[in-house]
Amino acid sequence: MDICQTHENTSKCSVNTMECFMVLSTQAQKISIATLCGLFGTLCVFENSLVLYLIFSSPGTRRKPSYLFISSLALADILASIIFVCSFVNFHVFNETNFSKEMFLLQLGGVNTSFSASLSSLLLTALDRYISISRPSEYKLLMTRKRAWIALGLLWVTCATIASLPLLGWNCCTLNSTCSELFPFVDDNYLSSWICFIMVLLGCIIYAYAHVLWRAHQHVSYMEKHQAQAGKQNTRMRMDVMLAKTLVMVLTVLVLCWSPVLVLMIYSIFARLSNHLRKVFAFCSTLCLLNSMVNPIIYALRSKELYSSLRMVFSRFRRQQKASEESPEAESTHKSSIIET
C-alpha cells in the first residue's frame, strides 16, 4: 500500500495510512453506521428509481426540460447512494484496506461526482424555476430541450472532471504536500477548492429560490391590488403559500444536510480534529445520503403530473393483483365443472 508522509502537526498518526481514518472504534458505532447507510441507501434507490420510471414512462413529462433536470437529480442520487454506501460501509464497518491508493481515489471520485451532480441538478432545477417565474413569456424559447441536454452534459462533465483531479495527480502523495485529516491521500488545497465549489452551488441555489419566492410574493401582492375576482385572488394566494412551503422545505433540507459536513471540512483545514470530531464527521456524512433520499419527495412526488402517474401505477398494480387472486378460483371452478361433466 502507498504511504504518504504527513506534516508533523496535521494528525496524531505519523504516516497517512488507511487505518488512521477508521475512526469507528466500537461495534455499536459500526452497526449504527451500517443501519443508517442501509436504510437511507435502500430508500434512496427505490424512490429515485420510481421517479425515473414515472418520468420516462410518460411522453408528456420526459419531453419537458424541468423533468429532465429532475431525472438528472434522481440519477445522481441513485449513483451517490450506491457508491457511497458500498465504499463507506466497506471502509468504516468492515475495515477493508486491501486496495491501492488509485482504487480508493477512484471510489472517492465516484462519490464526489455523484453528490456534486446532485447539487448541480438542484441548481439547474432552481434556475429553471427562476426563469419560469421571472420571464414567463420567454420561458419556452429560453429553456428548450436541446439547451437542457447541453446544460446536463456540461454539468456531468464538469463534476466528473473536478472529482477526478486527485486521481489524475492532485493528491498529497504525488505533490508531497499536506494531507487532509478526513480523507486519505487527499490534498488540503484540493479539499479547500472542492468546498468552495460546493459552497458556490449552494449559494446559487439559495439565491435562485429566494428570488423565486420574492417574485411569487410580489405577483400575489399585485393580484390583490388589481384583480377584481376574489376567487382568483384566493387561488393565487394558495399557490403562493404552497410555493413558499416547498421552497422553505428545499432550503431547510439543504442547510441541515450539508452544513455539518461542510463546517467540519472547513474546520479540518485550519485546525486539528480530535477523534471525537472525526467520528461525528463519519455520522454527519450520512446526512448527504439523507438529502438524496428526501430529494424525490420534495422535487418529484409533489408534482401533480408525477403524482397522478404514481396513482395510475398503483391502481394498475392493484388491478393486476386482484386478477391474479381471482384467476386460481376461476381455474378451480372451471376444472370442477369439467369433472362434473
Side-chain angles (χ1 to χ4, degrees):
M1 184 194 304
D2 294 333
I3 296 177
C4 306
Q5 292 289 338
T6 62
H7 89 328
E8 58 185 0
N9 294 323
T10 53
S11 174
K12 74 175 186 177
C13 302
S14 59
V15 291
N16 194 13
T17 58
M18 303 293 284
E19 290 80 5
C20 298
F21 296 88
M22 297 175 180
V23 295
L24 303 182
S25 55
T26 65
Q27 195 68 19
Q29 293 172 355
K30 294 181 180 181
I31 292 175
S32 300
I33 283 288
T35 303
L36 290 174
C37 289
L39 178 62
F40 293 162
T42 303
L43 290 176
C44 181
V45 171
F46 172 75
E47 292 174 1
N48 287 286
S49 299
L50 179 62
V51 168
L52 287 177
Y53 172 76
L54 293 177
I55 290 176
F56 287 98
S57 63
S58 173
T61 55
R62 67 169 175 258
R63 293 173 182 170
K64 295 182 179 179
S66 57
Y67 286 105
L68 289 178
F69 299 146
I70 293 177
S71 63
S72 173
L73 173 65
L75 177 61
D77 287 336
I78 290 174
L79 294 177
S81 61
I82 295 174
I83 301 173
F84 177 83
V85 169
C86 293
S87 58
F88 197 76
V89 171
N90 192 40
F91 184 80
H92 283 289
V93 177
F94 297 108
N95 300 137
E96 180 63 41
T97 59
N98 190 23
F99 47 82
S100 62
K101 177 194 71 177
E102 288 74 18
M103 181 58 65
F104 178 83
L105 291 177
L106 180 63
Q107 293 178 0
L108 184 63
V111 173
N112 288 344
T113 299
S114 303
F115 280 127
S116 300
S118 177
L119 286 179
S120 300
S121 299
L122 292 181
L123 176 59
L124 288 183
T125 304
L127 292 177
D128 176 73
R129 295 182 179 181
Y130 174 86
I131 295 173
S132 67
I133 197 168
S134 62
R135 305 174 72 175
S137 59
E138 304 174 16
Y139 173 76
K140 290 186 177 180
L141 295 176
L142 293 174
M143 191 59 67
T144 61
R145 292 186 74 246
K146 182 179 179 180
R147 290 181 178 179
W149 280 112
I150 292 174
L152 289 175
L154 292 175
L155 177 158
W156 281 91
V157 170
T158 302
C159 293
T161 302
I162 294 175
S164 301
L165 290 178
L167 183 62
L168 297 176
W170 192 355
N171 57 75
C172 57
C173 300
T174 304
L175 301 177
N176 196 23
S177 57
T178 304
C179 295
S180 169
E181 292 188 13
L182 295 174
F183 305 100
F185 315 121
V186 173
D187 180 71
D188 260 347
N189 293 326
Y190 171 79
L191 183 61
S192 303
S193 302
W194 189 81
I195 291 172
C196 291
F197 173 63
I198 296 299
M199 294 289 287
V200 168
L201 289 179
L202 291 174
C204 292
I205 292 171
I206 292 173
Y207 173 80
Y209 277 130
H211 189 81
V212 168
L213 186 58
W214 176 73
R215 288 299 296 266
H217 176 72
Q218 192 179 44
H219 183 69
V220 169
S221 300
Y222 176 84
M223 295 294 292
E224 288 177 350
K225 292 180 181 179
H226 297 86
Q227 183 62 257
Q229 298 178 4
K232 292 186 178 180
Q233 290 182 19
N234 294 332
T235 302
R236 284 293 178 182
M237 290 178 67
R238 285 195 299 270
M239 289 176 62
D240 182 53
V241 170
M242 290 177 61
L243 180 61
K245 288 181 179 179
T246 301
L247 297 184
V248 169
M249 191 184 305
V250 167
L251 299 181
T252 302
V253 170
L254 274 177
V255 171
L256 290 179
C257 291
W258 281 92
S259 292
V261 172
L262 292 176
V263 168
L264 288 173
M265 284 184 181
I266 295 172
Y267 182 76
S268 71
I269 295 173
F270 298 101
R272 293 181 60 183
L273 292 178
S274 63
N275 285 336
H276 176 70
L277 285 178
R278 294 165 74 187
K279 290 178 183 178
V280 171
F281 178 79
F283 279 92
C284 289
S285 299
T286 60
L287 291 177
C288 300
L289 192 61
L290 176 63
N291 184 34
S292 298
M293 186 190 76
V294 176
N295 279 338
I297 300 174
I298 298 176
Y299 288 91
L301 298 183
R302 288 175 66 91
S303 166
K304 290 183 179 179
E305 292 177 290
L306 292 185
Y307 183 72
S308 61
S309 299
L310 182 63
R311 292 184 62 182
M312 290 177 61
V313 170
F314 279 138
S315 61
R316 192 184 311 131
F317 175 75
R318 288 178 181 176
R319 288 196 300 268
Q320 292 177 353
Q321 192 174 17
K322 287 181 179 179
S324 63
E325 290 177 355
E326 293 174 356
S327 58
E329 297 178 359
E331 185 179 357
S332 62
T333 305
H334 178 68
K335 287 182 179 180
S336 60
S337 61
I338 291 176
I339 294 173
E340 290 176 359
T341 305

